[in-house]
């Protein structure tokens, strides 16, 4: 039995109320959902709570899943929409200032400005923290597009599929978001 | 601007490195299933939804019937006077 067939069987069993199948489905899909939720960097709601909301929606609507697309795509779409709705009310933070950065983050930024060397792998967590702060200046949709394109390395077509936006919208949002981020970095240097 | 762009790209590359493991929290699946069951429509909600649909269908039938009656009454008014006269004459004959 291949993976797709196995997942399809799990979906069918979960629809019929089989708890073991539903648990197995959650275990298999959790990394997909967690990745999307993490990308949104929600401030008001915990990552786990948001993941929980998404899975509850998935199970409430499992009857509507047609089986035409892989279940991970269908769940990803629900995850993206739930995150978007959840963050719709979140306003962008005001401008980032030097005082908002830790010593390590300031040093990293200066290092990036001074040389063209790639950052050492052990700095990736610090880099992620700095990116989180920078993305906090953006609107949720801009945060999403930057995360998907540059941090998750997804293609424009993939972002289109997940968000339902047109290619032009994806590109325009990414362009505007980068413009804001460039301005922020320029102000910090 | 190009300098900021380069910094941004390198920062993204560094941040895109290995992400923390997405391990499912303990008891997460149990909580999800319990919540999904709690918020799934119960018997009375299903009956309410059925009643709502039945009411909509009934309204549609009433509207169609009213339209049909109205049309019939209009077409009856359009009957030529000769028919009405003949009808009255026949009724009078039968009455006698």
């Amino acid at each position: 039995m291949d993976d797709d067939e196995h997942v399809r069987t799990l979906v069918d069993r979960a629809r019929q109320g089989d708890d073991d199948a539903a648990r197995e489905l959650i275990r298999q899909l959790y990394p997909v959902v967690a990745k999307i939720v993490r990308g949104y960097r929600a401030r008001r709601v915990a990552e786990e709570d948001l993941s929980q909301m998404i899975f509850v929606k998935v199970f409430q609507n499992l009857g509507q899943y047609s089986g035409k697309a892989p279940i991970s795509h269908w769940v990803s779409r629900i995850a993206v929409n739930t995150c978007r709705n959840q963050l719709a009310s979140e306003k962008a933070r005001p401008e980032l200032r030097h005082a908002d950065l830790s010593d390590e983050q300031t040093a990293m930024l200066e290092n990036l400005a001074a040389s063209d060397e790639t950052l050492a792998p052990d700095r990736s967590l610090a880099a992620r923290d700095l990116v989180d702060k920078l993305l906090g200046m953006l609107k949720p949709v801009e945060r999403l597009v930057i995360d998907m394109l540059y941090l998750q390395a997804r293609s424009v077509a993939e972002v289109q599929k997940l968000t339902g936006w047109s290619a032009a919208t994806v590109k325009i949002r990414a362009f505007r978001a980068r413009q804001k981020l460039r301005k922020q970095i320029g102000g910090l240097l | 601007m190009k300098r900021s762009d380069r910094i941004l790209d390198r920062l993204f590359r560094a941040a895109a490195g290995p992400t923390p493991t997405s391990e499912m929290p303990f008891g997460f699946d149990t909580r999800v299933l319990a919540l999904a069951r709690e918020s799934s429509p119960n018997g009375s909600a299903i009956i309410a939804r059925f009643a709502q649909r039945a009411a909509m269908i009934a309204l549609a039938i009433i509207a169609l019937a009213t339209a049909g009656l109205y049309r019939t009454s209009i077409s009856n008014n359009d009957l030529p006077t000769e028919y009405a006269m003949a009808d009255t004459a026949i009724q009078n004959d039968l009455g006698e």
Side-chain angles (χ1 to χ4, degrees):
Chain A
M1 193 187 284
D2 63 9
D3 269 4
D4 282 356
E5 210 180 318
H6 175 59
V7 171
R8 224 170 290 140
T9 314
L10 287 177
V11 171
D12 287 342
R13 281 171 49 202
R15 273 176 179 160
Q16 286 157 14
D18 183 337
D19 274 5
D20 290 338
R23 279 174 211 279
E24 177 61 25
L25 211 52
I26 295 172
R27 262 193 294 278
Q28 290 207 8
L29 294 167
Y30 188 81
V32 178
V33 171
K35 198 174 173 186
I36 291 170
V37 167
R38 203 164 291 155
Y40 261 95
R41 292 161 172 83
R43 294 198 297 268
R44 285 188 206 152
V45 59
E47 192 177 302
E48 193 182 321
D49 292 341
L50 203 48
S51 304
Q52 196 169 284
M53 278 164 67
I54 292 163
F55 275 108
V56 169
K57 276 191 187 174
V58 165
F59 282 101
Q60 281 174 343
N61 297 297
L62 203 57
Q64 289 170 24
Y65 171 60
S66 63
K68 283 177 193 161
I71 185 94
S72 59
H73 290 193
W74 185 71
V75 170
S76 297
R77 192 74 190 256
I78 292 178
V80 168
N81 286 334
T82 310
C83 289
R84 269 172 61 186
N85 292 342
Q86 187 63 34
L87 299 190
S89 59
E90 275 196 10
K91 293 212 166 62
R93 280 191 192 122
E95 202 171 307
L96 193 63
R97 292 163 200 276
H98 253 298
D100 298 321
L101 301 182
S102 67
D103 289 346
E104 192 186 9
Q105 287 166 344
T106 310
M108 179 182 283
L109 210 53
E110 281 166 3
N111 179 22
L112 283 167
S115 80
D116 278 343
E117 282 173 33
T118 310
L119 284 174
D122 62 331
R123 311 287 301 274
S124 75
L125 261 177
R128 212 168 170 90
D129 280 347
L130 184 53
V131 168
D132 278 353
K133 279 197 174 156
L134 285 166
L135 294 189
M137 313 289 116
L138 304 177
K139 292 179 190 167
V141 284
E142 293 170 338
R143 240 184 286 170
L144 170 77
V145 81
I146 290 289
D147 182 83
M148 285 184 166
L149 288 176
Y150 300 105
L151 300 176
Q152 294 181 31
R154 289 185 193 266
S155 65
V156 172
E158 280 178 300
V159 179
Q160 269 184 271
K161 227 182 249 175
L162 285 170
T163 56
W165 301 337
S166 69
T169 307
V170 173
K171 286 177 190 168
I172 288 170
R173 283 187 170 148
F175 175 77
R176 284 189 188 146
R178 275 193 75 110
Q179 216 171 20
K180 286 183 190 174
L181 292 172
R182 277 203 304 260
K183 205 175 154 195
Q184 275 294 322
I185 287 179
L188 287 168
L189 291 171
Chain B
M1 209 51 119
K2 283 210 164 160
R3 186 170 157 234
S4 304
D5 239 345
R6 273 205 311 273
I7 293 173
L8 203 55
D9 281 333
R10 285 163 60 213
L11 194 58
F12 283 152
R13 268 202 300 276
T19 48
T21 51
S22 17
E23 212 162 282
M24 195 173 78
F26 180 74
F28 180 83
D29 48 353
T30 310
R31 284 197 297 280
V32 167
L33 291 180
L35 281 169
R37 216 163 282 145
E38 231 172 64
S39 45
S40 65
N42 55 21
S44 59
I46 292 169
I47 291 170
R49 208 180 302 154
F50 175 75
Q52 199 180 0
R53 277 185 199 163
M56 297 283 277
I57 293 167
L59 273 176
I61 292 169
I62 290 170
L64 281 172
T66 311
L69 272 174
Y70 178 71
R71 223 178 129 209
T72 314
S73 71
I74 283 188
S75 61
N76 279 348
N77 288 344
D78 287 347
L79 277 178
T81 334
E82 296 91 68
Y83 284 117
M85 284 167 69
D87 195 34
T88 316
I90 291 165
Q91 275 179 12
N92 287 341
D93 282 347
L94 285 173
E96 286 165 12

